[in-house]
Amino acid sequence: MNPTAAGFLYLLAAVLFIVGLKRLSSPVTAKAGNRLAAIGMLIAIVVTLLDEQIVSYWIVIAGIVVGGAIGALLAQRVEMTSMPQLVAAFNGFGGGASAFVAIAELIRGGADPPIRILVTIALSVLIGSITLSGSMIAFGKLQDLITGRPLVLPGQLVIDVVLAGVAVTAAVRVGATGETVYAWVLFGSAIALGITRTLPIGGADMPVVISFLNSLSGLAAAATGFVIDSNALIIAGALVGASGLILTNIMVKAMNRTLANVLFSAFGGETGGGDGTDHDKVARRASAEDVAITLAYAQRVIVVPGYGLAVAQAQHAARELADLLQERNVEVRYAIHPVAGRMPGHMNVLLAEADVPYDQLYDLEDINPDFAHTDVALIIGANDVVNPLAREADTAISGMPILDADKATTVIVVKRSLSSGFAGIDNPLFYLDNTLMLFADAKQGLTDVVSAIREL
Amino acid sequence: MNPTAAGFLYLLAAVLFIVGLKRLSSPVTAKAGNRLAAIGMLIAIVVTLLDEQIVSYWIVIAGIVVGGAIGALLAQRVEMTSMPQLVAAFNGFGGGASAFVAIAELIRGGADPPIRILVTIALSVLIGSITLSGSMIAFGKLQDLITGRPLVLPGQLVIDVVLAGVAVTAAVRVGATGETVYAWVLFGSAIALGITRTLPIGGADMPVVISFLNSLSGLAAAATGFVIDSNALIIAGALVGASGLILTNIMVKAMNRTLANVLFSAFGGETGGGDGTDHDKVARRASAEDVAITLAYAQRVIVVPGYGLAVAQAQHAARELADLLQERNVEVRYAIHPVAGRMPGHMNVLLAEADVPYDQLYDLEDINPDFAHTDVALIIGANDVVNPLAREADTAISGMPILDADKATTVIVVKRSLSSGFAGIDNPLFYLDNTLMLFADAKQGLTDVVSAIREL
Amino acid sequence: MSELLIPITVFVLAAFVGFEVITKVPPTLHTPLMSGSNAISGISIIGAIVAAGHENGGVAAALGFLAVTLATINVVGGFLVTDRMLRMFKRGDR
Amino acid sequence: MSELLIPITVFVLAAFVGFEVITKVPPTLHTPLMSGSNAISGISIIGAIVAAGHENGGVAAALGFLAVTLATINVVGGFLVTDRMLRMFKRGDR
Ligand SMILES: NC(=O)c1ccc[n+]([C@@H]2O[C@H](COP(=O)([O-])OP(=O)(O)OC[C@H]3O[C@@H](n4cnc5c(N)ncnc54)[C@H](OP(=O)(O)O)[C@@H]3O)[C@@H](O)[C@H]2O)c1
Ligand SMILES: NC(=O)c1ccc[n+]([C@@H]2O[C@H](COP(=O)([O-])OP(=O)(O)OC[C@H]3O[C@@H](n4cnc5c(N)ncnc54)[C@H](OP(=O)(O)O)[C@@H]3O)[C@@H](O)[C@H]2O)c1
């Protein structure tokens, strides 16, 4: 293919990425947008296959076939509740690809590549390898293969500093000499660094890590674009870099923390913190029948889903309950906290899977004033996002904006125990006079409530 | 200056333009934004002076001194009500500059400039000249030096076609031969075309014309950037092109028309249309005292300013009246129609000049539901933007969104007569049972009302 | 064509930026937007300076002088009048 | 440095576009945004194809194959799973 035509087609691909992302601004156009971006990617791939002097098509084709099959299979099979893990895995693969490309470029680079090429190669290996191993640890934590608790290694600081020192030295040597052996040293130390730096981060902070790594891998792609003079890479990399940074920022802001705090403070743990039993305060335990009656005779209900809904896969049961209530002319809406669950927009996807129309889903600012005029706030597997301690000083979540569920006339909480959520702190909401606790797995509990309402 | 440094400084200038425009998204940051953009321009100018091999500084300095003095003087002296004219004039000057630059480039071009340079030169002369003469006619119409009525020449179509034919032929010859004489023919015919194409457009449509020409001149600047390989020009040109198109679109949409209809249909005229006297319906005439009493004992008042407020320079009187009412605990808000006045945002600037805080100004969608709960809608020199005929079929303004002033308990209209506004059609609002007409120049009328309230 | 690839890329991206940024400007500020973006379009002053500065006389120099003058009016006047307008916009809580 | 001017210009403009466009994505769609932009970051597949296609064997070819495979998983899986999610989003008025 003539290189000018190729250049314009790459530009077209980049434009399709932009238009695709623009369409993500509304659920109505988002599907078309994602497809446009995919078409852009297809164009970029085909142009590359035709444009470059490919000598060994079979390696490329084999890679595409194998990778495509695995990717398609994973995409079809994954449970919606496992979305954070899947994105972590994909992100790691992307990072690995960048790192391997850079090493391969170095090997076949021939005599004396210019210094700026070497610098970018070093950068790609560094970022790509950290992304690969860091994302894999994130995957493990989210999939419960590794404990979600922060795993601080003995001598953590020393290990980190040594690994970082080796990596930086190796990167500098790659830049200066271009010798392949340093690239392997860099690869090894960066992989190790990705592992040791991710283990001490709590499981629920993994989405921040993934998003941050995704942003980095966008920047690495852009850096590669500088080397091989590819505007498609530069533009796509800049878009991804921006998107990752914005998402990271949304998450840390919604948790009222900083990125540094997330990455370096060994915060939280799935099962950490108080268990709420050794309290003088008492929580009021309710049966599924009690809950059924309260809900069935309410006029306005707001459902607050949280991470427990995802764990229990209770989205369909929640939808069934809401349908039943709506048939009885109870108004049902959903309040979605920006960091409910384990990734931004997590609850929206789960509820969409259960066919809950997205116009029944409300953002924090939009629904908070309404809790005061609401009969029942039904909290399903959420904890931190409704913890009133956030309004007080000196707690782990102080200053984090929360859903004002405690303002509702009656609060019903469906969870298995009084134990704490991700932030590892007790929740006074459970002990309020107007709170009823339904101790159950979310799915089982909601199913029981549905049967009880049917029998009313 | 080393050309790389110059390149980065031009990029900095372009970034400052972008950041400047971003800051225009809020009145709080807008002032700083405009200054950033101005600093960007200063950088671009200084870099050009240092970078290019300027041989005759005195011509350049003389031009800058003379132009700067004139520009500063005009900017200081202009009345806020004359803003549309001023923008028209500035726009014309910018277009003229482009055209002259292109002709000068052609003259000093030497032997055989490449074809793409010639094409862009032809384009610049064409767009620049039309912008120059078209904007001057627009200036004349807005400043009442030329009648605002559409001036359709005898044989308009023939004239337009002939002029356009000459211009296109000359442009093609410029592109093919690069001979200066064709550039002058092009210049002459494009100037004439700008005149004959603008005269038949009504005075109140001038802002659309200006905005459209501004967009075109942005595109011409970008085209020049292609020729002289200047990213600063390309980026600035694209920004201006986008801004002009968006503003043009906002205006034609708010009038429920199309750009083609505005440019080619000889629509409207300041004084056109019915005078409202030969009607069987009667309008209720009110005195300043009647109006004073109605306003003073109201609880909620919405002021609807229109073009007449600008003509009468009544913004300060309106502010005085609002102050007086607020002292008496009457709630006063302003409803701003997107095309009230003669350019987008015209009313906002006028009221800002009179120190009306911008948070008392409401957009159409935000305030329309409130008219029904409002005691008095005080309409000052507005007409089309409150004409209920827009809700009916087959009128000149059918489908144009309007302010629902007629829903208020009492409607007070301050204007000099029952004659029509820009669209040239009668306004049934004036004959409603709940409408009071105060026939007066807006400034005089409001001053009288203020005195009357003071005497209550 | 190939020499057009880069400028077209820059133009396309800048146009996207322009559309995104300008659509966020609220109606209140449309008049300053109009005059401010008009001032930015005066960037053609760069071309005018080059045209005027390279000549020592003749028609081209005269045209250059004229172009610099007109472009400067556009730029200086445009930014100043926009600033004047924007200085008038005030919030309510005085 | 001078050869960096163009790519930096493109990068800066694309970053502006990115920030403007992404900030308009509503919270509802943040998960698809995350997986979708992750798929776009798989653009490094271009580099992988070049690396894999230029070799007939050896370590570089093996690395190239690995890179193409991983990048394709990222791209294909990312777009497909985003599509699967987005197909689930429905409006109320059914
Ligand atoms: N969304 C994001 O992007 C993101 C990113 C990083 C961090 N985070 C953090 O994650 C937290 C999210 O808050 P959240 O309120 O959604 O969750 P949470 O505070 O982590 O609480 C989840 C609750 O669900 C309950 N649960 C677990 N399994 C359950 C099951 N099978 N059935 C019923 N309940 C179950 C647990 O209580 P029991 O054990 O008693 O059942 C737990 O208290 C916040 O602290 C946020 O800062 C979120
Ligand atoms: N804003 C824009 O961007 C823009 C652009 C293009 C076109 N337009 C068009 O302009 C029109 C704007 O609507 P509008 O309601 O603001 O104005 P309008 O419909 O043009 O009516 C203005 C009214 O002001 C009255 N008036 C004139 N001088 C006056 C004075 N000294 N004192 C008191 N009243 C005076 C006139 O009535 P008397 O003669 O009886 O006093 C006239 O009816 C719309 O049709 C719109 O489509 C606007």
Side-chain angles (χ1 to χ4, degrees), chain A residues 368-393:
Chain A
N368 254 350
D370 294 3
F371 278 107
H373 321 291
T374 294
D375 303 313
V376 183
L378 176 63
I379 299 172
I380 308 176
N383 190 340
D384 298 341
V385 300
V386 291
N387 192 335
L389 282 184
R391 302 193 195 112
E392 283 162 35

Side-chain angles (χ1 to χ4, degrees), chain D:
Chain D
M1 280 303 280
S2 79
E3 74 277 15
L4 286 180
L5 180 58
I6 298 293
I8 287 182
T9 304
V10 171
F11 180 79
V12 167
L13 288 172
F16 270 114
V17 175
F19 271 100
E20 295 298 326
V21 169
I22 305 286
T23 45
K24 280 190 188 153
V25 178
T28 308
L29 293 175
H30 277 166
T31 293
L33 169 63
M34 204 156 162
S35 63
S37 72
N38 188 246
I40 292 178
S41 82
I43 184 74
S44 51
I45 193 173
I46 289 184
I49 291 176
V50 176
H54 283 199
E55 295 296 322
N56 267 318
V59 188
L63 284 176
F65 170 72
L66 205 58
V68 172
T69 309
L70 291 179
T72 312
I73 298 180
N74 187 10
V75 168
V76 173
F79 281 120
L80 281 182
V81 84
T82 308
D83 188 60
R84 211 183 120 199
M85 273 189 267
L86 291 173
R87 268 187 285 127
M88 300 182 321
F89 280 84
K90 288 184 194 80
R91 241 246 202 56
D93 35 281
R94 292 155 304 154

Side-chain angles (χ1 to χ4, degrees), chain A residues 204 255 307 339-343 381 383-384 415-417 422 441-442:
Chain A
M255 297 191 283
Y307 176 60
V339 294
R342 286 295 178 266
M343 70 192 298
N383 190 340
D384 298 341
K415 65 198 290 280
R416 296 164 310 180
S417 66
F422 163 60
D441 169 80

Side-chain angles (χ1 to χ4, degrees), chain C residues 67-84:
Chain C
V68 172
T69 308
L70 291 178
T72 311
I73 297 180
N74 187 8
V75 168
V76 172
F79 281 120
L80 282 182
V81 83
T82 307
D83 189 61
R84 211 184 119 197

Side-chain angles (χ1 to χ4, degrees), chain B residues 6 34 60 67 74 83 99 126 144 167 178 223 274 288 334 399 403 413 437 455:
Chain B
N34 181 56
V60 176
L74 288 175
M83 207 44 77
L126 180 68
D144 272 335
Y334 297 81
L403 290 165
V413 181
M437 300 294 300
E455 278 162 25

